[in-house]
Amino acid sequence: MMAPNSRHQAAGRLEVNLFRYSAGGTILFCVTVRPMSRTFFVTGGAGFIGSNFIRYVLAHEPAARIVNLDNLSYAGGETTLRDLDHPRHTFVHGDIRNVALVHELMNDADVAVNFAARTHVDRSIEFPLAFVDTNVLGSAVLIDEAAKRGVGLFIQVSTDEVYGSIRDRKSTRLNSSHIPLSRMPSSA
């Protein structure tokens, strides 16, 4: 009869199970290794790109859990959340600048993805402090909390207004030589 003898968590968030099988005086060992379920902390998940990212994760990672923090501004709304009523998706209406809330929600996160941002150059000219407050200070709250919690992967999503356009269309893979670059100083 096979029964789990021990369960270990290895580096890289893998679940390792060791089974001992005993039959007729012979002892065999069987090891199974599989990725553990991941918890995603997603901000801006009520926006177009963020909500599609959540749909993708729900469809492709059957054990993943998602905590979605969004303030439902002009960039995102409840209509994008209607089809995200899923037992592995939790929506929280709140702000990325709320340190206590981010601290609470990022508790078990393995991956943090920040889609939350104020966009559109015209709006940044009209309301510059709101942009700095959300895009800089809000992102700093998320990065600081992810570092304190030891989140394994932090992904900052932005636009070509910050990163600039891709010069080499053959390769869209980013590396350390890519730095935010904008031809529009008002959006950088």
Side-chain angles (χ1 to χ4, degrees), residues 51-181:
S51 63
N52 280 291
F53 174 79
I54 290 170
R55 286 181 191 90
Y56 179 87
V57 171
L58 290 172
H60 292 88
E61 289 204 30
R65 289 183 29 237
I66 299 169
V67 176
N68 176 11
L69 174 64
D70 198 299
N71 71 357
L72 300 176
S73 70
Y74 65 86
E78 292 181 24
T79 56
T80 60
L81 298 172
R82 285 193 185 124
D83 68 326
L84 289 177
D85 185 19
H86 195 284
R88 293 184 290 119
H89 172 252
T90 302
F91 174 74
V92 178
H93 184 197
D95 197 299
I96 63 172
R97 297 169 296 173
N98 183 332
V99 176
L101 180 61
V102 169
H103 175 80
E104 177 186 339
L105 297 177
M106 203 183 282
N107 188 38
D108 295 320
D110 301 299
V111 179
V113 186
N114 181 24
F115 292 100
R118 295 192 178 264
T119 59
H120 308 297
V121 173
D122 295 344
R123 291 180 192 256
S124 71
I125 294 168
E126 190 173 349
F127 307 106
L129 294 180
F131 273 69
V132 170
D133 200 30
T134 299
N135 296 355
V136 177
L137 298 178
S139 295
V141 168
L142 298 173
I143 293 166
D144 184 55
E145 190 61 35
K148 287 177 183 174
R149 296 246 178 230
V151 173
L153 179 62
F154 186 95
I155 301 170
Q156 173 66 38
V157 179
S158 194
T159 68
D160 64 338
E161 293 170 342
V162 173
Y163 289 114
S165 59
I166 298 171
R167 290 185 189 101
D168 177 6
R169 296 281 178 196
K170 294 177 185 173
S171 173
T172 57
R173 192 171 177 99
L174 294 178
N175 60 45
S176 61
S177 69
H178 291 84
I179 58 171
L181 172 66

